[in-house]
Amino acid sequence: MVIILLIIWAGRAHSFCTMSLTPELSRAARAFLGWSQDLLAEKAGVGVSTVRDFERGVRVPIKQNLLALERAFSGAGVDLEKLRNAFGAN
C-alpha cells in the first residue's frame, strides 16, 4: 500500500511541478475546440491511449507528451491559463 501511495503521489507531484495541463483542463480545452480525444492525439502526435488515460486520471504522460498536448492546444489558439481561469479547471 505504501508503494502505491508513493507512486500516486509522485505522479501528481510530477504533473503539478512540470506542466500546467491537467486532465480537467485538457477536457475543457477539447470541449472548447470541439475536438475528440482521437483528434487531439492526432494533432499532438501522441497515442489515443495517452490522451484517454491522462484525462481519466489513470496515468501521467511523459513530459514530452504533455508538452505535445499543450502545443496542440496552443497551436489551435487556446490559452490554457485563460481557460483555467474561465472554467476554474485545476
Side-chain angles (χ1 to χ4, degrees):
M1 181 163 168
V2 172
I3 294 172
I4 293 171
L5 291 175
L6 287 174
I7 290 170
I8 292 170
W9 178 83
R12 288 186 178 161
H14 170 75
S15 68
F16 291 124
C17 292
T18 60
M19 309 301 340
S20 62
L21 188 63
T22 64
E24 297 82 7
L25 192 56
S26 181
R27 288 192 301 269
R30 278 194 314 100
F32 177 77
L33 293 169
W35 287 3
S36 65
Q37 289 179 334
D38 290 349
L39 184 57
L40 172 57
E42 180 184 323
K43 299 267 186 191
V46 301
V48 176
S49 65
T50 297
V51 175
R52 182 178 52 243
D53 290 350
F54 174 59
E55 289 188 352
R56 286 180 33 223
V58 173
R59 66 181 166 111
V60 177
I62 61 173
K63 184 176 180 178
Q64 78 180 48
N65 286 351
L66 280 171
L67 288 171
L69 293 171
E70 286 186 338
R71 281 192 300 268
F73 288 134
S74 178
V78 174
D79 183 324
L80 292 174
E81 281 306 309
K82 285 184 181 177
L83 190 62
R84 177 191 310 277
N85 294 334
F87 289 100
N90 293 321

